[in-house]
């Protein structure tokens, strides 16, 4: 991986914000570029492992978005997340192209869950204490916020 140059320390606040906005646009474009490919690869691997749903639960006592638990629901009791890593192209902040990384399945699921949150909430600060769960429906190839009690979305 090439070295990342240190920024010019003699920048105005407007220059810093302009660079940040440009990096954010590039990061979002790269994330969108690999999103479908990564979802497809993950859902295919989960299908091969006989997994029907993955439920991502956030720590409700933590406003930083830490994941509390990953629940796996399979077609049979033997279903579990694969042990081997999955290779996915990942957009990394400040790099001009995605980087192919070998990720554990919990890490890959976490990345796709946070990408889903970014798609729905942008980069603005959200209250993770209000998020209940995100559900990966493997058969439907979808990621969605779990409905709250009473049928309302927890988004």
């Amino acid at each position: 991986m090439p070295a990342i140059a240190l920024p010019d320390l003699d920048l105005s606040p407007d220059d810093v914000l302009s660079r940040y906005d440009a990096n954010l646009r590039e990061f979002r474009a790269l994330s969108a570029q690999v999103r479908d490919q990564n979802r497809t690869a993950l859902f295919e691997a989960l299908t091969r492992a006989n997994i029907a749903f993955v439920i991502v639960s956030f720590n409700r006592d933590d406003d930083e978005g830490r994941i509390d638990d990953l629940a796996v629901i399979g077609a049979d009791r033997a279903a579990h997340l694969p042990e081997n890593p999955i290779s996915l192209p990942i957009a990394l902040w400040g790099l001009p192209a995605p980087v192919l990384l070998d990720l554990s399945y919990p890490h890959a699921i976490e990345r796709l869950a946070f990408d889903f949150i970014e798609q729905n909430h942008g980069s603005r600060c959200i209250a993770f204490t209000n998020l209940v769960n995100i559900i990966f429906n493997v058969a439907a190839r979808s990621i969605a916020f779990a409905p709250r009690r009473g049928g309302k979305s927890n988004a």
Side-chain angles (χ1 to χ4, degrees), residues 36-149:
D36 290 339
Q37 175 183 353
N38 288 346
R39 284 186 179 186
T40 297
L42 181 65
F43 283 128
E44 286 176 1
L46 294 174
T47 298
R48 286 190 302 274
N50 292 321
I51 295 171
F53 296 95
V54 175
I55 302 170
V56 179
S57 301
F58 292 89
N59 183 338
R60 294 189 53 108
D61 296 327
D62 175 27
D63 198 33
E64 295 181 21
R66 289 189 183 96
I67 290 179
D68 194 35
D69 191 30
L70 290 178
V72 175
I73 301 171
D76 58 49
R77 288 180 173 241
H80 61 279
L81 291 174
E83 296 287 326
N84 58 316
I86 182 169
S87 296
L88 298 176
I90 301 296
L92 297 175
W93 186 269
L95 294 182
V99 175
L100 189 63
L101 296 177
D102 289 336
L103 305 174
S104 68
Y105 279 83
H107 190 180
I109 290 166
E110 177 184 47
R111 282 193 158 276
L112 269 64
F114 281 109
D115 182 61
F116 176 75
I117 292 170
E118 168 79 14
Q119 276 185 279
N120 287 275
H121 293 286
S123 59
R124 72 179 187 270
C125 186
I126 66 168
F128 284 95
T129 55
N130 291 331
L131 289 177
V132 178
N133 296 317
I134 293 178
I135 298 176
F136 286 64
N137 182 332
V138 178
R141 304 278 172 135
S142 68
I143 302 172
F145 290 108
R148 285 186 173 183
R149 292 188 175 108

